[in-house]
Every structure is written in C-alpha cells, then in structure tokens.
Amino acid sequence: MPFIFDFKNIRVYWLAFVAYWGIVLFGYDTGIAGGVVSQTYFETHFGIIKPDGSVNKSQDVTISSNVVSVLQAGAFFGALGSAPLSARFGRRWALVGFTLVFCVGAILTTVAGGSRGIGYIYGGRVVSGVGIGGISAVAPAYVSECSPKNVRGRITGLFQIMVAIGVMISYFINLGVGLHMANSPNVWRIPFGFQLVPAALMCLGLFTVKESPRWLASKGRIEEALHNLAYLRREPPNSPTVRHEMAEIEAAINEELEARQGLGIREAFFGKGNFIRFVIAFVIFLLQQWSGQNSVGYYAPQIFTSIGYSGTTNSLLASGIYGIVKVIATTLFVFLMVDSLGRKPSLFISALGMGITFFIIGAILKTHPVVTPLPGQAAPAPPPSSKAMAAMLYIYVCFYSMGWGPLPWVYVSDIFPTRTRHYGLAMGSGSQWLWNFVVAKVTPTIEANLGYKLFMLFATINVGGMAVFSLIIPETKGLSLEEMDVMFGAVSAETREAFIRKEERALGDGNEILSSQSDEVKV
C-alpha cells in the first residue's frame, strides 16, 4: 500500500521524532569514532604514528578498537539498567535522565587532548555509552506503546532511519574536518562536541510529549492513561475507538497481574509464553550484529581502504556516499514496505541479498588484491575492481536497510506484553550492545588478518544463519501488542476476548456514571 501521511497520527509521529533524536545520537556516536581514529593528526597526537613517520601497528589496532568499542561496553550496562528505571519512573523521564548522562560523556571526549590524554576519550565514550544504551532500550518501547497498530511498524521503523541519519552525519562531519581542519585537535573535538546538539534537541522536545498510556495504566493511573491515549489518537476520551483500545490495554495488564502477581523477574523471563520471546530478542540482535553492517559502519574508512580506496579523502568520501545510500534505502523501506511486505519476507530477502553481495566482494578481492601505496606516495585513483566492490557495498546496505537494519527493533517491540516490555527491550538492547562491542573490538584484528575471508565470513552468517532464522520466527504484522500473548501461547484467544468484554463493560459503566453526574451538574 502506498504511503500516505496520516495527520490523525501527527502527535504520535511527533513523539517518535522527539524520542528518536536520541537514536540520531546512537547512529552518530557509533559512526563517528572510526573516522576520528583514521585522521593523521589524531594518530600522531596519540602515538599511533611514530616520530619517524611509520605506523605502530599494534598501537593502531589497540587504540582504534578501544575508542570504538568502549562505547558499546557502556551501552550494554545502560541498556540493562534501563529496565528498572523506565519501569519505576516512566519512559519519558527515563529518556531525560539517560540523555543527561550522555551529555556528560560527550563533554569528556570533547575536552580530551594536551595534558588530558586518551583516557578522557575512553572514559567519555563509556559514559556516553551508558546514556546511549538506555536510550536505545527505552525509546523503542515508548514509541511502540504510543503507536496505533496499523502504523506501528512504520513509526517504530523510524528508529533505523534516525540511526542511518546519525551515521551519515558523522561521516560527513569527519570528511569536512579532515578536509579543512586536518592539522588540529578539532579533528576529534568538533566531531565529539557536535553530539551535544541532538542531545539538547531531544531533552527539550521530551517536555512537549505525553507519557506512555500503557505505562500509566500499568501503574493504575487509568484516568491519566485514557486522556493521554485520547490525546495521541486525536479523539475525545469517550470515543468508542479509544475506549476499545483502552479496554484492550487494561485487559492485558489486569490478566497479567491476576495470573502472575508477585513473580517478579522470574515471571518476566520464565512466565508462560515469555521465555521464547527473550530467546528471539537475544538471537535476532546477535545475528544483526554479525551481519557485517557494523564492521563496515564503524570502520567505514578502513574498510573502503581495504578494497582500494586509499587516502583519507577517498575513504571518507566513499564512506559518506555509503551513509547517504543507507538513509535513502532505509527511508524508502520504512515508509513504503514495512507494513505491507511483512516482517518475515523482509528479513529473509534482506539476508539473502546481503549474503550474495558479500560473496561477490570476497570473490573480487580474492582475484584482484589491493595494492597499498607506500608511505609518502600519493593515493592512486581506485581501480575498476575497487569501484565494483564499493558498488556491491552500496547494494549490500540497501538489502540491510530493507530488513535486518530496521526490523529487529520493530520485531522485538512487537512481541512483548506491557508488563515485560521493558525487560524485553532491555534484553534485546543488551544483546545488541554486547555483540556490538564484540564486533567493534575484533573487527580491526580480523580485517588485518583475514582479508577477503572477512567478507566470506559475513556472507556465510547472512545466508546460513539470518535467512534460516527469518523462516522460523512467527509473523507479527498487523497484530496488536495485546494479541501477541495469544500468538505466543501466554493466554488463549477465548480468555483474552472475555477480558476485553469485561473491561469494555467496566469502561461503559464508568462513562455512564460520569455522564449522569455531568447531567446533574447541568441541571
């Protein structure tokens, strides 16, 4: 179905736009470091390039992998800590808190240099990571809980668009700094300092949106939840549509409370129909991180250098084009295909396409090895084989963006009930950041040691792991968050329908009482 912007959901789109400014940070912060550590002035200042002009290879690999990967280490703990915080204080205030934590880290990385050594960058990246990890877990839950089911996939999929935009911005800021300020500490201070712009926009924007109706209902604040839901749907609180949706929310929450009261974390992970959801959340992000995208995304300049784009300008420009292609492809998929093609077909086609393009890159690199220029030599123009491999990388990211980029976040947001969604998103986000850290840490080493086999490795994972996994998981397209319980066997369809009818009657009685009281006041 072609995309038509629905102004009825304008408030939900605004809420997603505000919450996902934090996801711009996610993309920007993950994309910026690889470009920063590839700048010659950075390498000289922090001891990667020796006084004689030669490169200290071990120092290069260590510092590069540390600067990139310590963000993921912090994000892992931020994601896991987000569950109890968002459950207690609400989605909106949790996002405000994690954004402020992120700002502290951004300031530390920005002031590094001179007497403040590489430790400031390491420490700042860890603190920023805690903030990013919390945002990456809470924001999708917040947006998903506020979105109507007919456009939930599209709205939740904005997550990956904002990630792609953040990555693209980081590539071009690195390119601009490398072209115009290459011989000063600005090669890291401007890229790291710019992070404070989207952080400030998000923090201010969060004061213009409402708290999640589902979270409010889970805390017993039913009246406030009803009014927030009506506000988001642009309907009066007594609208039959709003009342029915509110009844569904209350039915899900009440039956969970009745059936699982007092079981706590054990219930969240091992309650009926829950464990398989946590397994899916963990595995889907494990596979996403080993798809090859993060190795290319984090170390884009280095990856493009490895396929023949020698020189800082060539590699950074090729990286910037990669970022543009990713934004365009992700946007087209999220707005035109995510709610029409379905989750399973999108993931399957995406995995096959990624695997085929990586097999082609590996084969070309095997048959046409890259000749690296000696220190002091001018960077040659990329040969035709390098251009062919770059084209395959651009096609690869199109396939990634139509499935395994945006859909793991959409899928994991889909499958968890209200009571355990924050745990589910924390598990998914924790898995994402754990494997993110592992991939970021080992990529420089395996890229240096495997050569063309690196692309063969990722291609095998794409086809043998991700495509097969796509065929196993259930389809969630078009189902409400409350209907997921029925699909995963947590409750029977008959029991769920009985709860909904009960809550509709209760809401109807309540509205009749309110209407009667209103008439008496008028008299």
Side-chain angles (χ1 to χ4, degrees), residues 4-18:
I4 299 174
F5 193 86
D6 186 358
F7 284 96
K8 188 172 183 60
N9 292 317
I10 187 69
R11 289 169 179 165
V12 180
Y13 280 102
W14 172 249
L15 180 145
F17 178 75
V18 168

Side-chain angles (χ1 to χ4, degrees), residues 199-218:
L201 290 173
M202 177 181 177
C203 212
L204 293 173
L206 285 169
F207 291 97
T208 70
V209 296
K210 300 283 188 181
E211 181 56 86
S212 161
R214 284 180 170 85
W215 179 81
L216 290 169
S218 71

Side-chain angles (χ1 to χ4, degrees), residues 80-212:
L80 294 182
S82 69
L85 291 174
S86 68
R88 177 167 184 178
F89 299 108
R91 315 310 191 207
R92 192 166 67 109
W93 284 111
L95 286 174
V96 171
F98 281 120
T99 303
L100 294 176
V101 169
F102 172 86
C103 289
V104 173
I107 291 169
L108 288 174
T109 55
T110 302
V111 301
S115 61
R116 295 179 291 273
I118 194 72
Y120 273 73
I121 292 181
Y122 290 164
R125 294 277 288 173
V126 171
V127 174
S128 293
V130 173
I132 286 291
I135 291 170
S136 73
V138 177
Y142 181 38
V143 173
S144 179
E145 290 175 0
C146 295
S147 302
K149 65 181 178 181
N150 61 314
V151 294
R152 191 179 67 246
R154 181 183 302 135
I155 292 176
T156 309
L158 287 171
F159 183 104
Q160 195 63 28
I161 294 177
M162 301 303 259
V163 171
I165 289 172
V167 171
M168 181 188 68
I169 292 171
S170 74
Y171 290 160
F172 279 101
I173 284 184
N174 273 331
L175 176 61
V177 169
L179 289 174
H180 302 291
M181 305 177 186
N183 297 312
S184 76
N186 287 334
V187 295
W188 69 84
R189 286 181 177 161
I190 288 179
F192 287 143
F194 183 79
Q195 300 170 106
L196 294 168
V197 175
L201 290 173
M202 177 181 177
C203 212
L204 293 173
L206 285 169
F207 291 97
T208 70
V209 296
K210 300 283 188 181
E211 181 56 86
S212 161

Side-chain angles (χ1 to χ4, degrees), residues 23 50 72 108 130 165 184 187 201 263 350 356 421 442 473 477:
I23 308 309
K50 299 176 184 177
Q72 284 76 18
L108 288 174
V130 173
I165 289 172
S184 76
V187 295
L201 290 173
L263 294 178
S350 172
I356 291 169
R421 185 168 300 112
V442 304
I473 58 176
K477 173 193 166 187

